[in-house]
Amino acid sequence: MANVTDLQTKYSKLAQEYSKLRAQNQVLKKAVVDEQANSASLKDQLKQRDQSLRKQEQEMDSLSFRNQQLAKRVELLQEELAASEGRSKKGKAKGDSPLQPGLQTQSVFNEDLQKKIEENERLHIQFYEADEQHRKKEAELRSRLQKLEGEAEEHRGVVDGLATKYVETIERLQGDKARLELKTQTLEREAKDCRMRTEECQQQLRRCQSELSRQVKQSSSVIQEKVPFNDTKFSDYNSLNVPSHNRRHQLKARDVTSQALSFIQDLVAALLNFHTYTEQRVHIYPLDSSIEPISPLNQKFSQYLHENAAYVRPLEDSFLQLYQSITEDTVTVLETVVMLRNFAENFSSYTHFLLKILPYQLKSLDEECEAPLCTAALMAKNRELQSDMKKVTTVFEKMQNYINLLALPSVRQDAMPQSSTSAVFTQLAASLHSLHDAIKEMSKHYNQKASIEQELPTVTQKLCTTTECLLGSLGSLTSVTGKIATFFSNNLDFFTSPGYSPRGCAVSLNPLQAESMLANKKKAAAYIDAIKTARPQSVPYREALSNRRVLTSSTESREGLTQQVQQSQEKITRLEQEKEHWLLEAQLGKVRLEKENQRIADLEAQLAAALGGSQSSQTAADGRLTQSHEEAETAQKAAGKETTLCTSLVGMLCTTPTNEHVGDEESREQLIKTHYMTRVGELTTQLQVSDSKAVHFHSECRALAKRLTIAEKARETLSEEVKLANENITRLQANAKKNKSR
C-alpha cells in the first residue's frame, strides 16, 4: 500500500508539472502571436517607407531633368551674351548710338541668369538635404528590420525548442504514466497475492499452534510419567546446577563474535578493494604506465600496495580462529581468549603497513598537485585528502593500542583490572566512531575531487572507471565502519559486564574456577549418561544436552558451523587429491629405486670380478664397466630430475676403491631420502607461491568483474541515449518534411 501511495504522489506531482508546462506553452504561444503581429506591422511600415522612397526618387529624377534644362538654358544665354558682347564691341568701334539697347538687354539677361543660378543652388541644396535624409531613414529602417528579423528568429527558435520540449515532456509523462499504471497493477496483484499468502500462513499458524499445544500436552504427560527427575525446576539454574545467566553469557558471546566476524569480513573486502583500486589509479594518473613510465616514487608505492593482501587477509583469518575458539563449553573472558592475541598482532601488522605507505600516499598526492593541468580547487582537495589519510592512520594507531591492551590478560591474568577494561572498551568504541567519521570525510573529499577531475580535458575513460570503483570501495568502507561502530556501542554493556559469577554473589568467578565448573559439568553429564544406559527406551542424557544446545543456539551459530563444515570438507577433498598425487609419486620413486638398486648390484658384481681377476680380465672388466657406465648415463637421462642424485652417487661408488665400502646401503638410502625431501620442500614452496598468486588473481578478477559491470551499465545508458537521440532526429526530420510540404 505504501508503494501505491508513493506512486499516486509521484503521479500527482507529474500532473502538476504537466499543467505548469501547458500554462507556460499557452503564454509562449500568445507571445509568438504578438511577435508575428508586430512583425507584420513592421513589414507594412517598411512597404510605406519604400513607396515614399520611390516617390522621392521620382522627384529627384524630375529635379535632375529640370536642372539639365536650366543648365542648357544658361549655356544658350551665355552664348547669346558672348555674341552680344562681340556685337557691342563692333558697335563701339562704329559709334555709341546702338550701345544703349544692347546694354539694357544684357542687364535683363544678367538678372534672369542670376535668378536662375540662385534657384538652381536652392534646388541643389534641397535635393542634397532630401537625399541625406532619405539615406539616414533608409539605414535606420534597415537596421531596425535586421534587428526585428533577428528577434523573430530568436523567438522562433525559442518557440521551436519549447514545442520540442513540450512534446518530449508529454511523451515522457505518457510513458511514466503507462509505467506507473503497469506498476500499480503489478503491485495490486502482488498485494492480492500477499493477502492470500497471509491468510494461508495464518491458517497454517493456527494449525501449528493447535498441533504444538497437543504435542505439549502429550509431552507433559510423558514427562510426568516417564522422567525420573526435573533439572529445570529453578529459574536461575539450568541442567547440572550450572548458573543459567553464565550460559546465557556464553551464548551471547558466541552470537556477538559471529556478528563481529561478518563485519570484519566486510571490512577486509572493502580494504582490499580500496588498496587495489588505489594501486590501479597510481598506474593511470598523473601518468599512464601504458604510455610512459611512472615516477620511481609511484612505482615503490604501487609495489607496497600490491602487498596489501598479505596484511589485510590475516585479520579475517585470525578473527575466524577467535570465533571458532568460542564454543558453548568454554569460558569466554579476556583471560581465556588466547586467539585475541593473534588478531592483535595481525592488526598491528596492518597498522604498520598503513604507516609504511602513508608517506608515499602524501608524496603521490603532491605529484598530482604538480601536474600541469592541476587547478587550485583540485590542489585544495588533495590537501584535504592528505589530512584525511593522516587522521585515518592515527585512528588505526589508537585502535591498535587499545586492542593490544585487551589482549594482555590472555598473556598475564593480572595485567589489567576490571575498571581499566571498561575504560579501554569505552575508548575503543570512541575510536571506532572516529574512524567512521574520518573515512566518511575522506569519501566526501574523494567524491568532490572526482567531480573536479571530470572537467579536465585530459581525463580518460579508464581513469573515470577506476575512480568510480575507488569511490564505491570508499562507500563500502564508510558503511561497514559505521555498522561496526554502532554494533560496538550497542554491545558496550555486554563487553564491560563481568562474565561469570555464582548465584547470589556479586564477585566474578576466576576463569580457572569457571573451567573447573564446566569440567565438573561434563563429568556429571558422563555419569548421568552411564546411568541412563540401563533405560534404552529413553533418550540418552548426553544426546538430550546436545539437542538442547542445537535448539538454543542462534541462527548465526548454525550458519557459521555449516560454513565451517563446508570449508573442512573442501579442505579434506583437496588433501585427498594431494594424498593420491603423492602416493603415485612414491610408487614411481619406488620403482625407480628398485631399478637403480638392481643396476648398482650389477655394477658391484662387475667391479668385484674385475678386482679378483688377472690383468687381461681386468682390461675386459674395464671395458664392461665402461659400457655399464654408458648404459647408466642413458638411464639417468631417461629417469629425469627425481633420480639425478641417485645415479650420480652410483657412478661415484662404481669408480671408488674397494676399501671405501662400495655397498654401504644406509648412506645411499640417506642420500635418496634427502633428495626426495628436498624435492618435497621445493614442491611445497611452489604450492605456496601458487596459492598466493591465486589469491592475487582472485582479487584482480573481482576488481575486473566490478569494472566490467560498471562498463556494461555505462554502455546500456549510452545506448539508451543514442536511441533517444535517433528518435529525436527522426522526429525532427519528419517535422521538417511537414513544414516543407506546407
Side-chain angles (χ1 to χ4, degrees):
M1 295 300 292
N3 292 328
V4 174
T5 305
D6 294 338
L7 291 174
Q8 290 177 354
T9 305
K10 291 180 180 178
Y11 184 71
S12 62
K13 289 181 180 178
L14 290 173
Q16 291 175 1
E17 293 291 333
Y18 178 68
S19 61
K20 289 180 182 178
L21 291 173
R22 288 190 63 181
Q24 293 177 1
N25 189 26
Q26 294 295 332
V27 173
L28 289 172
K29 282 185 177 180
K30 187 175 179 181
V32 169
V33 172
D34 294 339
E35 290 295 331
Q36 289 178 353
N38 192 10
S39 178
S41 63
L42 290 174
K43 287 181 180 179
D44 294 336
Q45 291 179 7
L46 183 62
K47 288 181 181 179
Q48 292 176 2
R49 297 292 183 184
D50 290 336
Q51 290 177 0
S52 64
L53 179 63
R54 284 194 294 272
K55 288 180 181 179
Q56 290 178 0
E57 287 178 352
Q58 290 176 1
E59 291 178 358
M60 186 177 67
D61 293 337
S62 63
L63 289 173
S64 299
F65 180 71
R66 181 65 177 167
N67 190 16
Q68 291 176 1
Q69 289 181 348
L70 291 174
K72 290 179 180 180
R73 180 77 177 275
V74 168
E75 290 177 357
L76 291 174
L77 289 173
Q78 287 178 352
E79 290 176 357
E80 291 177 359
L81 179 62
S84 63
E85 287 179 352
R87 285 194 300 270
S88 63
K89 288 180 179 180
K90 290 178 181 182
K92 282 182 179 182
K94 292 179 180 181
D96 294 335
S97 58
L99 184 60
Q100 294 295 330
L103 291 173
Q104 294 177 356
T105 305
Q106 186 178 1
S107 63
V108 171
F109 283 151
N110 289 332
E111 291 178 356
D112 190 10
L113 179 62
Q114 187 67 29
K115 290 179 180 179
K116 295 297 181 181
I117 290 171
E118 291 177 354
E119 184 179 3
N120 192 12
E121 289 178 354
R122 183 173 52 79
L123 290 174
H124 272 291
I125 292 170
Q126 291 179 356
F127 174 74
Y128 180 75
E129 290 177 352
D131 190 15
E132 289 293 329
Q133 186 177 5
H134 171 70
R135 288 178 181 176
K136 291 180 181 179
K137 196 70 175 178
E138 182 180 5
E140 183 180 355
L141 291 174
R142 287 184 183 279
S143 63
R144 188 177 178 185
L145 178 61
Q146 291 177 357
K147 183 178 179 181
L148 292 174
E149 287 179 351
E151 291 179 355
E153 288 293 332
E154 291 179 359
H155 287 297
R156 193 177 297 110
V158 172
V159 170
D160 293 339
L162 290 173
T164 305
K165 186 177 179 181
Y166 172 69
V167 172
E168 292 177 354
T169 305
I170 291 175
E171 292 177 353
R172 188 175 67 254
L173 291 174
Q174 288 177 352
D176 293 340
K177 180 181 177 182
R179 285 196 298 271
L180 291 173
E181 289 177 352
L182 181 61
K183 194 172 183 180
T184 303
Q185 294 175 0
T186 306
L187 291 173
E188 288 177 354
R189 288 196 299 269
E190 290 179 356
K192 187 176 179 180
D193 296 337
C194 289
R195 284 194 295 270
M196 293 176 63
R197 287 197 298 270
T198 304
E199 293 175 357
E200 293 177 358
C201 291
Q202 288 177 354
Q203 293 176 2
Q204 293 179 2
L205 179 61
R206 286 193 291 270
R207 288 197 298 269
C208 290
Q209 286 177 349
S210 61
E211 180 67 22
L212 287 174
S213 60
R214 185 185 63 79
Q215 291 180 2
V216 166
K217 291 179 182 179
Q218 183 179 359
S219 300
S220 299
S221 61
V222 170
I223 289 171
Q224 291 174 1
E225 294 175 359
K226 300 294 181 67
V227 177
F229 67 94
N230 185 7
D231 56 357
T232 60
K233 182 176 180 181
F234 302 102
S235 59
D236 290 339
Y237 282 74
N238 60 5
S239 59
L240 300 179
N241 203 24
V242 177
S244 59
H245 66 278
N246 292 339
R247 179 178 178 81
R248 286 196 299 271
H249 180 276
Q250 187 63 27
L251 293 175
K252 177 69 174 176
R254 183 169 176 81
D255 185 22
V256 168
T257 311
S258 175
Q259 296 178 25
L261 176 61
S262 64
F263 289 138
I264 291 294
Q265 290 173 347
D266 295 339
L267 177 64
V268 167
L271 289 173
L272 286 172
N273 290 334
F274 174 68
H275 292 310
T276 303
Y277 293 135
T278 304
E279 179 189 356
Q280 293 179 5
R281 179 181 167 83
V282 167
H283 283 284
I284 297 173
Y285 189 79
L287 297 176
D288 194 347
S289 60
S290 61
I291 300 175
E292 53 184 326
I294 60 178
S295 63
L297 179 96
N298 281 334
Q299 289 179 359
K300 196 69 175 177
F301 184 31
S302 173
Q303 180 181 356
Y304 285 152
L305 287 174
H306 194 69
E307 302 170 356
N308 68 87
Y311 297 96
V312 179
R313 289 198 179 276
L315 295 175
E316 180 181 355
D317 298 337
S318 58
F319 204 89
L320 179 61
Q321 294 175 2
L322 173 62
Y323 169 70
Q324 292 173 353
S325 66
I326 299 175
T327 61
E328 297 178 11
D329 296 332
T330 58
V331 180
T332 303
V333 288
L334 290 178
E335 290 81 359
T336 60
V337 183
V338 182
M339 292 299 174
L340 183 60
R341 187 63 185 171
N342 295 334
F343 178 74
E345 292 175 355
N346 291 325
F347 195 86
S348 300
S349 299
Y350 179 67
T351 305
H352 294 321
F353 170 71
L354 291 180
L355 290 171
K356 182 171 68 173
I357 66 173
L358 179 61
Y360 294 96
Q361 286 178 328
L362 302 180
K363 292 295 183 181
S364 179
L365 289 174
D366 288 337
E367 283 192 4
E368 291 185 11
C369 293
E370 294 173 0
L373 296 178
C374 184
T375 60
L378 191 58
M379 192 178 298
K381 294 303 171 187
N382 287 333
R383 300 294 181 228
E384 292 176 353
L385 282 175
Q386 287 179 340
S387 177
D388 294 335
M389 290 174 181
K390 291 178 182 178
K391 289 179 182 178
V392 170
T393 308
T394 304
V395 173
F396 266 101
E397 284 185 308
K398 290 182 180 178
M399 292 171 58
Q400 170 197 350
N401 296 329
Y402 294 136
I403 293 173
N404 287 332
L405 286 175
L406 293 176
L408 279 179
S410 62
V411 180
R412 194 175 72 249
Q413 293 185 358
D414 57 348
M416 188 167 51
Q418 181 66 28
S419 59
S420 300
T421 304
S422 302
V424 171
F425 274 116
T426 305
Q427 293 297 326
L428 182 58
S431 299
L432 287 171
H433 283 286
S434 300
L435 178 64
H436 171 63
D437 295 337
I439 292 179
K440 186 176 180 181
E441 285 294 320
M442 186 166 65
S443 177
K444 182 180 74 174
H445 293 153
Y446 251 117
N447 276 292
Q448 295 172 356
K449 178 184 177 182
S451 61
I452 295 173
E453 284 180 349
Q454 288 180 356
E455 298 175 358
L456 296 177
T458 57
V459 67
T460 60
Q461 184 63 33
K462 190 177 182 180
L463 178 60
C464 291
T465 305
T466 306
T467 306
E468 288 178 1
C469 295
L470 183 60
L471 293 176
S473 64
L474 276 174
S476 302
L477 198 58
T478 305
S479 176
V480 71
T481 51
K483 290 178 181 179
I484 291 174
T486 305
F487 161 77
F488 203 87
S489 298
N490 293 337
N491 293 280
L492 190 59
D493 295 335
F494 169 74
F495 292 136
T496 56
S497 63
Y500 291 85
S501 62
R503 184 183 182 188
C505 182
V507 181
S508 300
L509 282 178
N510 191 306
L512 297 177
Q513 296 174 353
E515 289 180 0
S516 301
M517 178 187 66
L518 291 176
N520 293 330
K521 171 186 172 182
K522 293 179 181 179
K523 290 179 181 179
Y527 176 73
I528 293 175
D529 189 17
I531 294 175
K532 288 292 182 178
T533 52
R535 297 171 61 90
Q537 69 275 11
S538 64
V539 179
Y541 201 83
R542 186 181 293 277
E543 184 177 353
L545 290 176
S546 177
N547 293 335
R548 180 177 176 82
R549 283 196 298 270
V550 172
L551 291 174
T552 56
S553 296
S554 61
T555 305
E556 289 81 6
S557 299
R558 289 198 296 274
E559 291 178 354
L561 290 173
T562 304
Q563 186 177 3
Q564 293 176 21
V565 170
Q566 291 177 356
Q567 292 176 357
S568 300
Q569 289 177 352
E570 292 176 357
K571 189 173 182 181
I572 289 169
T573 304
R574 188 171 64 253
L575 291 174
E576 288 291 339
Q577 293 176 356
E578 292 180 358
K579 177 184 175 183
E580 293 294 332
H581 171 70
W582 289 116
L583 285 175
L584 291 174
E585 290 289 337
Q587 290 177 0
L588 290 173
K590 186 176 180 181
V591 172
R592 290 167 182 165
L593 180 61
E594 291 177 355
K595 290 181 179 179
E596 293 300 324
N597 288 333
Q598 184 66 31
R599 186 177 293 108
I600 289 169
D602 294 340
L603 292 173
E604 287 178 350
Q606 293 175 7
L607 182 60
L611 293 174
S614 61
Q615 185 67 29
S616 60
S617 61
Q618 179 70 30
T619 305
D622 289 337
R624 289 194 299 271
L625 186 59
T626 304
Q627 185 178 2
S628 299
H629 276 299
E630 294 176 356
E631 293 176 356
E633 289 176 357
T634 306
Q636 178 183 0
K637 292 180 181 179
K641 186 176 180 180
E642 289 81 2
T643 58
T644 304
L645 182 59
C646 296
T647 52
S648 61
L649 289 172
V650 170
M652 291 171 62
L653 291 171
C654 291
T655 56
T656 54
T658 56
N659 57 358
E660 293 185 0
H661 302 286
V662 179
D664 193 355
E665 296 181 356
E666 292 181 358
S667 61
R668 289 200 302 273
E669 291 178 357
Q670 185 65 30
L671 290 172
I672 293 170
K673 181 180 178 181
T674 304
H675 167 69
Y676 279 106
M677 289 300 292
T678 306
R679 181 63 176 165
V680 169
E682 292 176 356
L683 292 174
T684 305
T685 304
Q686 292 177 3
L687 180 61
Q688 292 176 354
V689 173
S690 300
D691 287 340
S692 62
K693 288 182 179 179
V695 171
H696 172 66
F697 292 154
H698 177 66
S699 61
E700 287 189 353
C701 289
R702 287 177 61 186
L704 291 174
K706 193 168 183 180
R707 291 177 63 182
L708 179 61
T709 305
I710 294 173
E712 288 292 334
K713 291 181 180 178
R715 185 180 64 80
E716 293 176 358
T717 305
L718 293 175
S719 299
E720 292 179 357
E721 292 179 357
V722 169
K723 186 177 179 181
L724 292 174
N726 291 330
E727 292 178 356
N728 292 332
I729 291 171
T730 305
R731 187 169 60 254
L732 291 173
Q733 290 177 354
N735 292 332
K737 289 181 180 179
K738 289 181 181 178
N739 293 330
K740 287 182 180 179
S741 63
R742 288 178 183 176

